[in-house]
Amino acid sequence: MKGIFRLDYNMAKITNDWLPYLEKEYGKPYYKQLYIKVREEYRNHEIFPPADDIFNALHLTPREKVKVVILGQDPYHTPGAAHGLAFSVPKTQPVPPSLKNIYAELHEDIGFEIPDHGNLVSWAEQGVLLLNTVLTVRAHVAGSHRNFGWEEFTDAIISSLDEEDRPMVFMLWGAPAGKKEVLITNPRHLILKAPHPSPLSAYRGFFGCRHFSKANEFLEKNGVSPVDWTITP
């Protein structure tokens, strides 16, 4: 099985420096059940992201480069939007409401110039792990793959980062992401919590959280290069 959902789907394996920290999960009972459930979902329903994009957050942000983790809930459930990075969409897709609110907060926080697209790959390549707590979803059914086992797998990702004795920032947005706080015990890390940036909750504390400037201040204070949050049009 080796961490890849096999049917008629060409999904890339995890082969970079994440593999030694995650391959032990593949033999655990929860992962075997997760494999079966997700395989059946792809067989019988329209599932996002495409199977070969499920682990894009790990592929684009090697473990050794992680300096900020932005943790969301589950992928976008509309066609063409999800591509394996939390909150990000391909350049061909409209900017989703949650990402519009993230851009609005960035504008107020650091004077961010709002771009005309929602592709956040440039953040991932700088060491921003754009991770959802659940990595797949059925089309048009938000939260449909919760409790499949993804939560335990992403627990393993967070726990492995917590073991690193180098400063990182964890931005936990929304209730599912906030539950991961108990996994982050290393005092060298900074935890920033806020409501989810969706239109339903952004006004309850996401707006005004200033997570982006706080993250960069923390990184610079600890001798780590800050994130350039600029998105090229």
Side-chain angles (χ1 to χ4, degrees):
M1 186 164 58
K2 280 294 180 186
I4 177 169
F5 298 104
R6 295 187 185 277
L7 273 178
D8 298 323
Y9 304 102
N10 181 25
M11 188 173 95
K13 297 179 181 179
I14 298 173
T15 57
N16 63 4
D17 63 351
W18 282 106
L19 183 60
Y21 297 91
L22 298 176
E23 62 182 348
K24 62 182 180 293
E25 301 299 309
Y26 304 155
K28 294 181 179 180
Y30 89 86
Y31 193 90
K32 294 178 180 180
Q33 291 301 310
L34 170 65
Y35 174 87
I36 293 169
K37 289 177 181 178
V38 173
R39 181 183 62 185
E40 289 302 308
E41 286 287 295
Y42 275 100
R43 176 179 288 164
N44 297 309
H45 303 280
E46 187 177 15
I47 304 300
F48 303 130
D52 57 353
D53 288 344
I54 290 173
F55 297 122
N56 270 355
L58 304 179
H59 296 157
L60 288 169
T61 310
R63 187 176 179 278
E64 67 176 2
K65 289 188 174 182
V66 176
K67 55 179 135 180
V68 175
V69 179
I70 294 181
L71 197 59
Q73 296 183 3
D74 56 355
Y76 296 121
H77 55 82
T78 54
H83 66 145
L85 299 178
F87 300 106
S88 180
V89 294
K91 289 184 178 180
T92 56
Q93 295 294 310
V95 179
S98 292
L99 185 53
K100 286 182 179 179
N101 287 339
I102 292 170
Y103 284 173
E105 174 59 22
L106 269 162
H107 177 74
E108 291 299 316
D109 187 12
I110 62 171
F112 174 83
E113 184 175 346
I114 296 175
D116 58 359
H117 67 86
N119 190 295
L120 306 180
V121 167
S122 64
W123 292 2
E125 292 174 339
Q126 292 182 70
V128 180
L129 182 64
L130 295 166
L131 184 68
N132 281 311
T133 59
V134 172
L135 301 187
T136 54
V137 70
R138 190 183 296 183
H140 310 297
V141 188
S144 50
H145 286 186
R146 291 178 186 171
N147 302 316
F148 273 26
W150 281 127
E151 293 89 347
E152 191 165 348
F153 187 74
T154 53
D155 280 356
I157 294 172
I158 298 297
S159 294
S160 82
L161 291 174
D162 186 58
E163 295 171 0
E164 285 290 298
D165 198 28
R166 55 186 173 89
M168 299 181 203
V169 181
F170 292 83
M171 300 183 188
L172 311 181
W173 296 345
K179 292 178 180 177
K180 303 287 193 187
E181 182 179 11
V182 298
L183 304 172
I184 307 163
T185 60
N186 190 327
R188 296 206 67 188
H189 304 323
L190 174 65
I191 300 172
L192 299 172
K193 294 178 66 177
H196 194 274
S198 78
L200 297 175
S201 57
Y203 286 95
R204 299 203 300 264
F206 178 79
F207 289 138
C209 69
R210 298 187 62 245
H211 280 187
F212 305 98
S213 61
K214 289 176 181 177
N216 277 354
E217 288 167 5
F218 174 82
L219 293 173
E220 290 185 290
K221 181 180 178 180
N222 286 277
V224 180
S225 59
V227 176
D228 180 1
W229 299 108
T230 304
I231 300 291
T232 304

